[in-house]
Amino acid sequence: MAVTYRNNRLVPAVIIATCIVLIFLLIDPTVENFGNPIPKAGGRDETHAGTHSTAAQAGTPPTAPTGEPKPQGSHSDSHPQHSATPDRIEEDDVLLIMKTGGTSMWKRLLVHLTTTLSATRISPSNIVIYSDNAETIGPFTVIDALANMTDAAKRSSDFDVYRQQSEYVDYNFYSEAAGVDGDDWGPVGGWIIDKYKFLPLMQHAGQNWPRAKWYIYMEDDAYLFLPNIRKFLAGFDWRKAHYLGSYAAKSDAVFAHGGAGFVLSRGAWEESFGKNHNLVEEYHDYVAKHCCGDQVLGLALRDNGVRFGENGGDEKFTWGFNPIVHWRFAFSRSNWCHPLLSWHKVHNRDVARYFELERRWDFDSPLLYRDFFRSVVLPQVQKNAQWWDNMAGLYEVSSANKEWATAPKDSSTYDAAVWKKSWTSVEACEAACRAWSDCVMWSFVEDLCKMDDKVIMGQGYAPSMPQRKTSLMHTSGWITDRLESWTC
């Protein structure tokens, strides 16, 4: 009886232990099929992406990888196609694509290595740099996006600069334009070769980073406020075909302006490059006959079912991505309360200042145009400035048009008599601006008064600059206290 009693106690214990193990295996979110790891949602495929990343960093030209797993954005995978709740955009969800060139790399790219591409801002595994000349700079290997172009293409005159860059190196000549002995501007034609990079680099990025949800493109003379862009993208479904940026149109294409930066969702990549592996070859002749690579990319995407626009490819966009630099930008009531996403045509000093501003901002709330203006522009426009052109231009009154000069439609918002005399002096021009209720800046030169309801910082000539001897003096002024009424 004693033996039977002990055996009866042992059996329930074994059953209970077995149940606990089974329950653990079933509820543990990191385990599937009794011990096989589930791939992390939104991350790169570690088994394959690690191999592709290594190949990409080593400068492997854009060839299609073999044995590729189905990308996370594929319509044939097991992921849901749409979620009503916007996704949180994690670091591994994005691939930041930087495009540079052999003739601009040493002038523009280097400042980005410690700002835009710093490891404190984004992991190096989520960055790829493309050029037309393979280089190694610190931890980064710059990939030659044109390495796999056909020999016939490389023999064309457009590719002269591509061939000549290595010749400069062979003869120990530098292309840095740094004013140092042994330096030169480099071969002519970097802009011509640049247009051929867009399709190959987007194809390569999608093939080698298949787990990215968003491909964020930028150029070496741009700055993208990455935290703001991630917040912006959270409102879109990466599984769908989204092609987002600043509107541009040329010839037969509507496209996202390359200099302003743009974003392509994984769903858009699958719909275009994922289905058609020959886009580079198919559009080569079109690239040769047209000016711009972003135009070619927009056309190729459209022809393959992906259209530009924030509302399902409607060719419309709101404020955010900007094709100009901050000191040429018109801050207005229309954009004042929108998140700022990018600037273009920036200089190295601009990049450093933008990075510091971004680093100080906590991004619990997005950085708005208003916030940028107050931090960067407002300190420069507090008082009237001689030898400074703020680019006012909405209304112009001169000695020649004083009787019929265009004026605000609402006569109650300005003083017509003061308006007509605004061309006579700096003081008269400022008085006319103050007499118009919407005026926030003015500029005067010789017998021309210009007024505007937007604020532009502009640019001036320092006392030692030769332009002061060859130009007429502009005097500019801003009425910044009126901006207090621009509320969000």
Side-chain angles (χ1 to χ4, degrees):
M1 292 294 293
V3 173
T4 304
Y5 178 71
R6 285 196 298 270
N7 288 343
N8 286 343
R9 291 177 62 187
L10 182 61
V11 170
V14 171
I15 294 174
I16 291 171
T18 303
C19 290
I20 291 173
V21 172
L22 290 173
I23 291 171
F24 175 78
L25 291 174
L26 289 172
I27 66 175
D28 185 1
T30 65
V31 178
E32 183 179 60
N33 296 331
F34 299 99
N36 295 322
I38 301 174
K40 294 180 181 180
R44 293 183 299 128
D45 186 320
E46 298 301 329
T47 304
H48 293 268
T51 303
H52 298 327
S53 296
T54 303
Q57 292 298 325
T60 301
T63 56
T66 58
E68 192 69 71
K70 288 179 181 177
Q72 192 171 6
S74 171
H75 295 300
S76 59
D77 65 21
S78 60
H79 294 279
Q81 295 302 303
H82 177 72
S83 173
T85 304
D87 292 332
R88 177 181 174 84
I89 307 299
E90 304 294 347
E91 182 177 276
D92 281 346
D93 292 336
V94 306
L95 177 68
L96 181 60
I97 299 170
M98 168 71 79
K99 180 177 69 62
T100 184
T103 59
S104 67
M105 184 185 308
W106 304 108
K107 311 177 189 73
R108 299 177 183 171
L109 179 64
L110 302 188
V111 69
H112 289 287
L113 301 184
T114 56
T115 54
T116 302
L117 307 180
S118 64
T120 58
R121 188 175 189 253
I122 182 171
S123 170
S125 62
N126 298 97
I127 297 170
V128 58
I129 306 175
Y130 291 105
S131 181
D132 45 44
N133 190 23
E135 288 281 359
T136 299
I137 307 175
F140 296 102
T141 298
V142 181
I143 300 171
D144 180 358
L146 304 176
N148 269 11
M149 299 292 285
T150 65
D151 291 338
K154 292 177 181 179
R155 285 194 296 269
S156 73
S157 59
D158 281 357
F159 280 73
D160 285 348
V161 64
Y162 182 75
R163 297 187 299 271
Q164 292 165 1
Q165 285 176 145
S166 61
E167 296 174 358
Y168 272 64
V169 175
D170 292 341
Y171 281 82
N172 194 35
F173 240 90
Y174 299 81
S175 300
E176 299 179 11
V180 180
D181 187 32
D183 193 19
D184 190 87
W185 285 93
V188 177
W191 183 81
I192 296 175
I193 198 69
D194 186 77
K195 63 183 179 179
Y196 289 93
K197 301 173 193 171
F198 281 74
L199 291 179
L201 70 82
M202 289 306 303
Q203 181 185 59
H204 183 268
Q207 289 172 342
N208 287 275
W209 284 268
R211 305 298 286 181
K213 296 178 179 179
W214 298 100
Y215 300 94
I216 302 176
Y217 168 95
M218 67 175 297
E219 300 184 353
D220 60 8
D221 63 343
Y223 189 90
L224 272 58
F225 292 90
L226 196 57
N228 264 5
I229 291 178
R230 286 170 57 180
K231 284 180 175 288
F232 169 71
L233 293 178
F236 298 89
D237 187 345
W238 60 271
R239 304 164 187 86
K240 296 187 175 181
H242 290 298
Y243 174 36
L244 311 167
S246 178
Y247 176 93
K250 194 172 183 65
S251 299
D252 47 356
V254 170
F255 54 95
H257 190 287
F262 62 81
V263 181
L264 199 68
S265 68
R266 181 65 198 186
W269 191 94
E270 282 293 320
E271 188 67 24
S272 51
F273 292 92
K275 291 182 177 180
N276 187 343
H277 303 298
N278 298 312
L279 290 180
V280 176
E281 291 76 17
E282 286 184 11
Y283 288 86
H284 178 75
D285 290 341
Y286 185 92
V287 178
K289 296 175 182 177
H290 293 79
C291 82
C292 310
D294 46 7
Q295 171 192 352
V296 177
L297 175 62
L299 180 67
L301 290 172
R302 188 198 69 187
D303 291 348
N304 287 271
V306 178
R307 301 183 70 91
F308 170 82
E310 293 181 9
N311 304 290
D314 60 353
E315 298 185 349
K316 293 182 173 62
F317 77 109
T318 52
W319 295 101
F321 292 97
N322 298 297
I324 58 176
V325 69
H326 74 274
W327 50 270
R328 287 186 176 274
F329 181 79
F331 293 85
S332 68
R333 290 179 184 269
S334 299
N335 55 53
W336 197 239
C337 301
H338 284 277
L340 171 62
L341 303 182
S342 73
W343 296 119
H344 181 219
K345 297 295 185 183
V346 304
H347 293 82
N348 293 347
R349 187 176 67 190
D350 297 323
V351 172
R353 295 170 70 194
Y354 301 159
F355 178 70
E356 283 303 309
L357 174 60
E358 180 185 297
R359 200 169 59 86
R360 296 195 308 268
W361 199 261
D362 61 18
F363 288 97
D364 287 338
S365 299
L367 178 72
L368 307 181
Y369 283 93
R370 172 197 63 187
D371 305 317
F372 181 92
F373 177 89
R374 290 173 176 174
S375 298
V376 178
V377 178
L378 184 59
Q380 296 287 331
V381 297
Q382 294 282 21
K383 58 184 181 181
N384 298 353
Q386 293 183 338
W387 290 103
W388 192 284
D389 184 5
N390 62 14
M391 305 178 190
L394 182 60
Y395 294 110
E396 298 185 358
V397 183
S398 68
S399 59
N401 73 351
K402 59 183 183 293
E403 296 301 329
W404 46 268
T406 305
K409 293 181 180 179
D410 187 351
S411 59
S412 65
T413 63
Y414 76 105
D415 187 317
V418 175
W419 190 269
K420 290 183 178 181
K421 295 179 181 179
S422 61
W423 62 273
T424 58
S425 67
V426 168
E427 294 75 18
C429 185
E430 180 177 5
C433 181
R434 292 187 177 279
W436 171 32
S437 60
D438 291 330
C439 189
V440 290
M441 74 171 182
W442 54 271
S443 177
F444 183 84
V445 55
E446 195 174 22
D447 67 340
L448 174 63
C449 175
K450 297 181 285 187
M451 294 168 277
D452 218 309
D453 60 357
K454 299 171 288 297
V455 177
I456 303 173
M457 179 178 170
Q459 196 174 38
Y461 296 138
S464 61
M465 295 176 67
Q467 288 88 338
R468 287 211 180 191
K469 299 185 182 297
T470 59
S471 305
L472 292 172
M473 184 179 72
H474 280 73
T475 302
S476 293
W478 303 263
I479 309 177
T480 56
D481 58 301
R482 289 183 173 177
L483 303 181
E484 296 174 4
S485 66
W486 292 8
T487 57
C488 294

